[in-house]
Amino acid sequence: MRGDTFISSLEDGRRVWLEGQQVRNISEHEAFKGTLSTIRQLFNMLDDPVHREQVGYAPDGQERYAHSSFLVPYTAAELNKRSQSFAVWSSSTSGMMSRLSDYARSLVTGWYAARHELSELDPRFVDKISTYYHEARDRDLFLTTAIIDPQIDRSSGLDDERIAERFLHVVKETSEGIVVRGAKMIATGAPYTHDFLIFSFLQFQNRHQKHAHVLIVPANSPGLHIVCRESFADARERNHPLSARYDEMDAVLFFDDVLIPWERVLLYGDSDKVLKLRGNRTANGLAFHQNVVRFVAKLEFVTGVAFAVAESIGVTGFLHIQEKLGELLTQIDVIKALIIAAEAKAVPDAAGVLVPDLTYVETARNLGTKYYPRAVEILQQVGAGGFVQTPSGIEDFYGPISELMHLYFEGAAVSAEKKVELFKLAWDLIGSPLGARHLLYEKFYAGDPIRGIASHYVRHDKLSLTAPVWKLIQEKS
């Protein structure tokens, strides 16, 4: 099964650091074992006759299926197939794993789909992205991004030498490729990835040529160090069901003079060209589409937990609880409606690739920065003090005071043991380190939420809204 192939492929000499030590056997390490088991199951779907039609397609008439994040959509049916694959993987992980490779794979697919348009930036781009796209698709490569620069001094920019030298930059060119030095963050899923897509959110000036690049970097590149945050994984699955399965892990990447082969250097040295690639509508439309489909699964999961908690303590008849639970349903319906609109109003690009309408996709992403914190807040309000009265572990039900445990933890519509399991699941969403990480992630993964919403105003055709106003005033005069 390809899930096992994926796991074994990670023992490739990569340098993963956790708690000051290099991790020698990733698949057996407690910090990664549960998450890798989840990813293995997802990859195995492509070999399962039932699931492979839901998450994959047979490229170019091949018998072997590839994940549909690699499918270039020219029809509504193909766009829907991509959407379905995102939904299946997201639902299988309760929406809690946001960087399951289908996002970064969609970026690569978008660049490949728009390759002839993007060849204007570099005539070698077509060959480079075509070769890599087919390699990533046919080898089931796990991909992730690292596009944020380290937080050192946010008040300074690239004209400050002490900042510029620590942001990822080219230190020399060779016949084999470019050598880069510096750091990137936040690489979600970094210990498990095969390749990193590297670029920057910086607004470059022409003088920043050594910082302007778009790279594809193998995780086992000599000189590359993957420095993990603290692990939130917990092997006690019944007490921490989400933390046991879904800690994606985030990392900072240190590039200690890493050689990037020319075939993996998609763009380099021209700030304007890098900005144009970063803003490509086809790639962003296909990738951001995955973001919002995944988000629906997460909202549905939080809502399901909130409903179950309310039922377990007998509060579903209270009007203020019904109003809060109804608000959760409204959130789901709004994001679903925006996805439907984005897909229904998809427009072919210059090459005929059907791209979801980014206006609706961006609206969904912007709303997500407010919806998820509110969803967590509602779950907190529904369960209230019950979350802090939960006993230390499910094991307490099998100890000397088992009878009392069953007596005093019983729910309105569920046994004491199941109620405690439910509340521990909810705590993993609202109170655990993993839950706190997800709250932060949903607020900021798409960038500064204030800038995101403000950009919606800046880019909008404001005249279409103001013209009727001035026309009405003129008619009244």
Side-chain angles (χ1 to χ4, degrees):
M1 300 290 277
R2 70 182 81 190
D4 295 324
T5 302
F6 162 72
I7 298 295
S8 62
S9 72
L10 302 180
E11 305 303 332
D12 58 359
R14 63 187 59 206
R15 282 155 294 279
V16 177
W17 297 88
L18 180 68
E19 298 177 351
Q21 301 291 324
Q22 185 174 349
V23 179
R24 299 294 180 181
N25 191 341
I26 293 173
S27 61
E28 295 301 321
H29 197 286
E30 289 299 323
F32 310 121
K33 189 159 59 175
T35 302
L36 286 174
S37 177
T38 299
I39 297 174
R40 177 195 283 115
Q41 295 171 30
L42 297 175
F43 272 55
N44 283 343
M45 286 183 178
L46 286 165
D47 295 321
D48 183 327
V50 175
H51 289 106
R52 69 184 183 185
E53 290 290 346
Q54 298 174 332
V55 299
Y57 75 110
D60 304 324
Q62 299 177 22
E63 291 185 8
R64 191 175 190 272
Y65 274 57
H67 192 272
S68 290
S69 54
F70 288 115
L71 176 61
V72 179
Y74 293 99
T75 66
E78 290 173 333
L79 185 60
N80 180 260
K81 192 165 185 61
R82 287 178 54 85
S83 187
Q84 182 188 45
S85 73
F86 302 150
V88 171
W89 267 21
S90 297
S91 296
S92 298
T93 55
S94 306
M96 298 295 291
M97 295 184 74
S98 52
R99 286 292 187 261
L100 279 171
S101 187
D102 41 0
Y103 168 75
R105 286 171 169 181
S106 293
L107 271 180
V108 169
T109 301
W111 290 339
Y112 170 73
R115 61 193 180 280
H116 296 297
E117 174 190 346
L118 295 172
S119 67
E120 297 176 0
L121 305 179
D122 186 333
R124 294 163 294 184
F125 185 88
V126 172
D127 289 338
K128 288 181 180 181
I129 196 61
S130 296
T131 299
Y132 184 74
Y133 164 79
H134 287 101
E135 178 187 355
R137 184 194 70 186
D138 296 340
R139 291 181 54 204
D140 298 309
L141 294 187
F142 193 109
L143 312 178
T144 195
T145 60
I147 57 180
I148 306 299
D149 297 291
Q151 291 184 346
I152 297 172
D153 183 349
R154 297 291 294 275
S155 67
S156 297
L158 289 176
D159 292 329
D160 184 334
E161 194 62 26
R162 66 193 177 95
I163 302 298
E165 286 304 308
R166 282 180 275 187
F167 283 17
L168 189 65
H169 62 284
V170 177
V171 292
K172 67 177 178 179
E173 298 181 24
T174 73
S175 59
E176 298 177 81
I178 59 174
V179 177
V180 295
R181 183 186 302 162
K184 296 297 289 187
M185 57 181 265
I186 301 167
T188 300
Y192 328 122
T193 197
H194 293 114
D195 292 325
F196 295 100
L197 308 186
I198 305 290
F199 51 97
S200 178
F201 268 169
L202 292 173
Q203 292 298 317
F204 300 108
Q205 304 297 320
N206 288 332
R207 62 184 179 276
H208 301 145
Q209 292 183 353
K210 68 178 183 178
H211 290 85
H213 46 248
V214 180
L215 315 172
I216 300 175
V217 182
N220 66 342
S221 298
L224 177 62
H225 298 276
I226 301 169
V227 184
C228 298
R229 60 156 166 77
E230 178 184 359
S231 172
F232 302 147
D234 196 307
R236 298 170 296 167
E237 191 168 322
R238 292 188 70 189
N239 291 304
H240 300 275
L242 303 181
S243 299
R245 298 178 176 95
Y246 302 143
D247 184 16
E248 291 181 288
M249 184 54 74
D250 309 289
V252 177
L253 308 180
F254 295 167
F255 292 78
D256 187 17
D257 289 4
V258 176
L259 173 67
I260 315 297
W262 285 117
E263 64 267 20
R264 295 293 190 97
V265 180
L266 299 185
L267 289 178
Y268 158 57
D270 191 308
S271 307
D272 290 338
K273 289 179 179 180
V274 170
L275 290 173
K276 286 179 181 178
L277 179 66
R278 197 176 75 189
N280 180 257
R281 171 178 167 267
T282 302
N284 289 340
L286 296 185
F288 296 168
H289 183 213
Q290 183 274 343
N291 292 164
V292 294
V293 173
R294 188 270 315 170
F295 188 57
V296 168
K298 195 169 192 175
L299 287 180
E300 289 179 333
F301 181 67
V302 176
T303 300
V305 173
F307 281 19
V309 167
E311 292 166 1
S312 74
I313 58 176
V315 297
T316 56
F318 299 135
L319 181 61
H320 70 285
I321 297 294
Q322 293 173 347
E323 185 264 344
K324 290 179 173 61
L325 299 179
E327 183 179 342
L328 293 176
L329 290 174
T330 299
Q331 287 187 347
I332 294 170
D333 289 343
V334 168
I335 302 299
K336 280 185 174 180
L338 287 166
I339 293 172
I340 292 170
E343 294 176 1
K345 298 196 72 173
V347 175
D349 69 3
V353 179
L354 200 58
V355 182
D357 190 311
L358 267 170
T359 300
Y360 297 108
V361 170
E362 289 285 19
T363 297
R365 292 192 346 140
N366 288 334
L367 287 175
T369 66
K370 299 177 182 293
Y371 276 8
Y372 189 74
R374 176 57 179 157
V376 169
E377 181 183 33
I378 289 173
L379 178 55
Q380 291 172 331
Q381 292 171 337
V382 172
F387 293 124
V388 294
Q389 72 172 16
T390 306
S392 59
I394 304 301
E395 299 80 8
D396 292 347
F397 282 97
Y398 305 99
I401 60 170
S402 173
E403 185 177 345
L404 294 175
M405 291 288 296
H406 284 281
L407 177 64
Y408 292 117
F409 279 105
E410 187 177 7
V414 69
S415 71
E417 189 172 345
K418 286 300 178 186
K419 177 188 168 188
V420 168
E421 283 190 288
L422 172 63
F423 271 66
K424 283 190 168 294
L425 169 60
W427 183 256
D428 235 0
L429 277 172
I430 67 170
S432 73
L434 184 79
R437 180 265 182 198
H438 275 271
L439 187 63
L440 192 68
Y441 180 87
E442 296 299 347
K443 284 183 177 180
F444 297 111
Y445 85 90
D448 178 359
I450 294 175
R451 187 179 301 275
I453 295 174
S455 294
H456 198 155
Y457 162 76
V458 171
R459 293 193 303 263
H460 194 80
D461 175 18
K462 292 172 278 292
L463 185 61
S464 65
L465 297 174
T466 58
V469 176
W470 295 117
K471 181 181 179 182
L472 178 64
I473 292 173
Q474 187 176 15
E475 288 175 351
K476 294 292 184 181
S477 300

